[in-house]
Amino acid sequence: MSSGDIFYDKVHFRHDPKWSGRLGPAEGGGLLLCVACVIEMIESEDISSVRKSFALIGICQVLRCSPGALRELLRQDSSVSLRFTASLLGMLHTVEDQATLEKVDQVLVQLLLELQSEMSYRFVLDEITKQLNNRLGVKDLLPTFNFLGNLVEAVPNTAHSLVTQYVPLLEHLCSALLHPDEALKASAVYVWLKLFRTAGGSAARSLPVAIRDRVCMLLLQTLANASSPNLTKNCVGLLWLLVQLPEAVSVLMNGKTDQTPCHENQNVPTDSGQNQGQQSPDQCPLPLMLKKLLMSGDEALQVTSARCIALVLVHSQCSAPFIQADVPEFLFDRLASSNSEVMLWSAYSCLLLLTDDPLFFSQCHSVYGIESLVRSLKEALQLTNLEVPKQGLLLLTEILERQPPSERLFPSGSGFEAVSEAVLGGVSSSCLRVAREAASAASALFRLNHQSRPVQYGKIGALIEAITNRLSELPLHSAAPHRTSRSLKRFNPSNQASSCEGFLLQSMVCFQAACRLAEECLSEPVLKENTFTAPLKHDHVQDSLESLCQCLLCCCDSVWIPIVIRMCEHAPNPQILQYFYSILSSQFTLLPSLMPAFAHKLAFSGFYRLPLEHKGLLCAGNSHPFLNMSCCGFLQKLSMHLLLQSVPDSDSGQRDVEEVENLLLYNLPALCCRLSDWPSLLREAPGLQLCDNKGPRATQYCLVIMLHLARQQGDRLLPDQTVFSSVMWLLHSVQAQACSALPRCVLRSALYLLAVTQDKSPNLDLAHLNCLSKALSSCQSFPSIYIRHPALLHFIWRYQDLAEKYGPMVLELWLTKQAQPRGAEPTLAATPERGESHADEGPGQEPDTETIELLTLVEKHPAVMLTLLNMVCSREAALARRALAVLEALICSQRDYDADLCANLRPALLQALKMLSVNMGQELGQGHTAQAVNSLPLVLKLLCAMQASDPPSSSSYSKMDGVHFKLLYHVSNAAGRLKPTDTGSLLPALRYLYCCLSLSPAHCTDRAVSVLLSNSGLMDQLQTVLSSSSPAPFLSRSACPPSALLCCSHLLLSSLITLQRVHTTQVKKSIGWSLDTAVQRLLVQKRNTDDLLLVSHLRLLQALLDADLASAVVCLSTGPGLVGPRPLGVEDGALYPLGYKGTQCLSTVLSGLLLQKHELLLRASVNCLSSLLGYLQRRSPPTEKYVANQPWGQFLVYFLLSSGESSRLHPVTLSLISMLLQHGGTSVLSEPCLLQVIEAAERRGREVLSEESVQALRLLLSQIHGTALQPPMKQRVMDVTESLDLQAPGQSSSPGRPGNVLRVGDVSICLSDFTVKAG
């Protein structure tokens, strides 16, 4: 035969040709095969095994390359087919070569698959049964069992036939497991393995119970004694299949090892596993076997063992034997030593099931394994299979949730840090499912019993921040309607949107757990202080409970609130909102100091309306009770914090807070309607109500309070008109029912709502006004229902009846109750008087917001002004000063209101002044009354404010008569009767008198001067003030009068001197004043003297010099320091009482003062110098020339011209140059100095100058033009003069200082007294 043909040439000739054929592809000629030859070769003992193997290889090739060809040959005679099969079966027992056996096994399986004949299958099984009945040896059984296993795997129908029709064969397979040979056992187990695995385990379910149970018991015995890897591997594989059957698990856990053969009709009890929970590990060998596999070095066995444990626990629900066998300990060890995905996942799954048994925790397996679990989690998070860390985090969550509080998992900070880092890694995972399980683990980790000592607040905050940051990175959108999962832990989202929502929900559970932990730590002083924290720890601040609370509040405010609002904008999620409002409620407990601002921000952002809308939308009809409870808790805390900011801090206020708290507590849960239904609720007529805190009426009270609190933060829950009418209806309904008065807290809210909604509602008619007045009268204390709001001011003063009863009281409360946090001390007493500051104050100073509100009120209701004046005159000092400040602001801004405001206010002030004068007269000799002492300085200050604000063109200054003159008279009388120590009243009195004289036109001052000079008491007061200011060794510094009082005295006296000389008024009593002392003070003490006091000194000296130092008002005294020894010389006599030495001293002082930068001091100095030179010109012309030609004059001019462009054309500079030219001649100044002035005037050209500068410059140019100058210089002087003449009058009077009175501290300066003299 050829090399590829399969036939036996010695016997082939006698075979029928029908059993031969050339099989294979036609183009290749095919392979010649004779079935009869093959059978004879197989059955012949003379044929070598090599040739038999060659024939088997050829048959394999035919079966592989020509499917169906061999089947067609064998179909000709079924007996030949069976003989061929039997021959091959016989070779399993005769062939010793392992390779040939494998070929036989392969050909048999392929042949049976080719034939697809049930008869062939039965024949094979029958033959195997016969062989087993003949009690074959191990050598014969081993290949038979291997073939049977392969056949079952290749032909699944064979398995079904085996378990239903060949039970004796199965008995032999069971008996084979009792044989000592492990190879045979391995092959028998291999058959069972294939049998149970075939067709998805359907054959195993048809297996007789007795056989199945015997297999289970024999498998336990075989596995327990197995030593070869192959047997162990097969046993473990079979065990894995058996534990997938709940019935088999029961038998395996029962652990019986009966070795007697079983028959088909025998029943093995299957309920023996019911009491196995009480068995010890010795009675239940399966856990020990599986633990042994866990201890092996083969990872595949370890994985299969873990899977078997998991399936046993699932089916038997009996974990005690495994826990008693310390299986969890070995599972944790596998976690610590393996980084295999399969091993980790399997161990996690087993441990997860074991945690369902409390015995797992009572035997401290969780404490033993937590470190290994955390370490394995860190490794698992690096794997690509994200199901592994997800399962690990789920295990961690179960352990943290089920761990008994008495057994701590993390006694030290290092353990807590490690687990927090692992959870942090899970939160940062790219997979949302892993991140969600990590957030769930964090929720369990935030339990109090899991916190180490000291508590790691920094790590907790880091976890919260990581979850918050991860949440902010998600593409969250408005939630769509969804099905609520029954178990949060088993939630398995199917798309990205639901995954994001699931992560948000679990994150909120975690955030709530962190808030609850912070609350628990706040209640325990040891945890709050974190006592065991190392004192040198650098991050102690970050590890404090306060830092954690701030972290929670910051995350909630910046991330959580916006995200939840966006998620629930269109389709609110009840579960998310439940946790959300619970988290917001927790913030009020964590950081009480920040809660006023937080509550205000929430309410201002609409968080009063939001929970009410969610309640109405989702909680109606008793649905979502937990959401309703959460919303109510949040609303109550928010309401109480808002209420505490407006309720007075008193016993009555505390009772009101408690009453509101009870109203909200009892009525909020039932209030689950939409906001649009509130008006109908407010207008319902409730029947008899047995309980004050419950019922329809209490619900109406609750609505009014919530409307008030929301509206106070700018949230209009209902339209203003609806609120106004509903509140009025409620007031009328309560009065009509007449069973009880309106609670004070409700009346306060009702009054506030009426006030803030009045502008958009019609005015109250008489009936409604009477109803409101009656309701307000029912409250014994109006301040207890007062709320500080501008609308309430306007509402009360809007109606005359209310204004008469409550207007003054509302004004008083407005002035006394400042807008400040609850519990703070009133700041009214600390409000400074307007004159106490040393900074310049004038009409342009802006009043505060509260004063502006009162100014607006006065504009609408002028009667308020008289009420404020009455407060100034009759109320306590603090309130009177506040009312005075308002009136001063009103007067300063009078041009925005009524042009005749001062004229309307003066009569009232006159009456007040008369009353105070009468009181002073009655108490003369007995001391001032307290009211007079408190009110008089305030009235006088108000007069001064009116005086400064009254325009100069006012008719009140045109003639000194009427109210104006009477005020002057009474003020002068009051000033004369005051005690010298009463500087608070004396200072504004003298200030007022001075301004009256200076502001009045010259032809109207004669009567005023006469009244003042005839008032001996006033002159005595001036004498006392001036005398006490003289430096005497017996006077202490504290005994000297204030500098402001001295200034006012000097200024008033200077005006009296000037006007007395003008009108030659008769003087009844003169004032003594030491000229020597005044000059010496200017010379020696000017550095230590206030600038304003120097100005007043110079103004007084100027007035005296203009009167040639001889005035009937002042009796001057001099000394040797000025005039020298007697007899007086010619010059001293001519200049007496100033004297020649005094002239030198005074000129030296004035030259030094002209180097200062103080504007008023410069003006006073140059005017006084001008008066001095005029005095010298009249008394001693040689001395005049001498003083004017002193070198200091040229130095002063040089200094002023070198001080900048603006200083060269300043009125003081121009007046000084003009003065020196007039009194000293052209030799005093050099031509370059004059040239600088001309150049400066040319450069500024058409630029507008002040009137003073223009007049001084014009006078100086005329003086320069009259001197001997070169023609070019004269031409330039003429050009500048013409440019000044061409300017319009309005252009040459640019505004210098606004107004005519300058307020400097407590001193008023009339600017007309300090206009620079022009010649």
Side-chain angles (χ1 to χ4, degrees), residues 368-411:
Y368 172 83
I370 190 65
E371 184 177 352
S372 299
L373 173 59
V374 171
R375 190 182 302 114
S376 70
L377 272 176
K378 294 181 180 179
E379 295 291 336
L381 289 169
Q382 308 300 322
L383 302 176
T384 57
N385 186 359
L386 298 176
E387 289 296 325
V388 179
K390 177 176 175 291
Q391 193 77 353
L393 289 168
L394 183 60
L395 171 61
L396 176 63
T397 304
E398 291 292 335
I399 291 178
L400 293 174
E401 288 181 347
R402 296 175 182 268
Q403 178 69 20
S406 58
E407 298 293 335
R408 307 187 70 86
L409 291 175
F410 314 108

Side-chain angles (χ1 to χ4, degrees), residues 997-1074:
L997 294 179
S998 296
L999 293 176
S1000 299
H1003 64 280
C1004 298
T1005 54
D1006 52 347
R1007 294 180 62 195
V1009 175
S1010 299
V1011 169
L1012 297 183
L1013 291 178
S1014 62
N1015 191 329
S1016 301
L1018 176 62
M1019 303 302 285
D1020 289 338
Q1021 289 283 16
L1022 292 175
Q1023 182 66 69
T1024 303
V1025 173
L1026 295 177
S1027 300
S1028 2
S1029 65
S1030 302
F1034 59 86
L1035 285 177
S1036 64
R1037 185 175 183 85
S1038 61
C1040 296
S1043 61
L1045 183 59
L1046 283 174
C1047 290
C1048 292
S1049 300
H1050 291 159
L1051 294 173
L1052 176 59
L1053 190 56
S1054 65
S1055 295
L1056 288 173
I1057 293 171
T1058 302
L1059 294 175
Q1060 188 275 337
R1061 181 170 61 88
V1062 172
H1063 300 293
T1064 62
T1065 308
Q1066 183 180 0
V1067 179
K1068 293 185 177 180
K1069 191 171 186 178
S1070 299
I1071 296 175
W1073 194 54
S1074 174

Side-chain angles (χ1 to χ4, degrees), residues 1176-1194:
L1176 295 177
Q1177 185 181 25
R1178 294 188 296 273
R1179 291 294 189 93
S1180 177
T1183 308
E1184 172 207 0
K1185 296 294 183 183
Y1186 174 76
V1187 171
N1189 284 279
Q1190 287 294 315
W1192 56 259
Q1194 298 181 12

Side-chain angles (χ1 to χ4, degrees), residues 717-733:
L717 300 181
L718 295 176
D720 286 355
Q721 293 183 358
T722 303
V723 173
F724 190 87
S725 59
S726 299
V727 171
M728 284 306 306
W729 191 95
L730 178 64
L731 294 179
H732 178 74
S733 174

